Amino acid sequence: MSIGNRLAALREERKWTQMQTSTALGISRAALSHYEKNRREPDSETLSKFADLFQVTVDYLVGRTFIPQQTLANDVRQFVDQLELSDEELLAKYHLTIDGRALTAEETKWFISLIRAERLH
């Protein structure tokens, strides 16, 4: 399923008009129409706005996953954003691997934040 088809389906599930949706996103109705009809693709900032509005991940919007709601709650996201897990000493202390490949600093940060978010539920 294309980005545009997912955007249109998410909007229609909520029974929102293109005007309501475009206003909430701060874009023109014409731009939204172009996105939904796959004439244009939204830039990363606009994709993030769509993800926040529909409470889905950007990965879901671009078709990398079929699980739409793997997003963090706002308070958890704020906590994760404040984590300082890129400290060389911390990352050097823990060597996480998956399928025999070491995780990058960014992957390690994401992994730890995911575990912390799950523990809050």
Side-chain angles (χ1 to χ4, degrees), residues 83-98:
L83 294 177
E84 302 232 2
L85 298 174
S86 60
D87 178 41
E88 293 296 322
E89 188 174 297
L90 177 63
L91 292 175
K93 186 175 180 180
Y94 301 100
H95 300 284
L96 301 175
T97 61
I98 294 180

Side-chain angles (χ1 to χ4, degrees), residues 34-95:
H34 286 298
Y35 297 145
E36 288 186 358
K37 292 181 181 180
N38 297 301
R39 292 184 191 141
R40 288 180 27 200
E41 285 195 6
D43 60 26
S44 59
E45 182 181 338
T46 305
L47 265 178
S48 292
K49 288 180 182 180
F50 275 113
D52 289 343
L53 180 67
F54 292 131
Q55 297 182 343
V56 298
T57 63
V58 170
D59 279 350
Y60 175 76
L61 293 177
V62 299
R64 292 183 63 187
T65 181
F66 294 107
I67 304 168
Q69 276 97 13
Q70 278 191 319
T71 58
L72 300 175
N74 285 336
D75 57 338
V76 175
R77 182 179 299 167
Q78 287 172 356
F79 171 74
V80 169
D81 289 344
Q82 293 173 4
L83 294 177
E84 302 232 2
L85 298 174
S86 60
D87 178 41
E88 293 296 322
E89 188 174 297
L90 177 63
L91 292 175
K93 186 175 180 180
Y94 301 100
H95 300 284

Side-chain angles (χ1 to χ4, degrees), residues 1-20:
M1 182 181 283
S2 68
I3 294 172
N5 293 348
R6 284 189 192 245
L7 295 175
L10 288 165
R11 179 182 59 77
E12 290 167 359
E13 284 173 12
R14 289 157 177 78
K15 299 184 182 350
W16 294 347
T17 65
Q18 282 188 335
M19 187 57 76
Q20 290 170 312

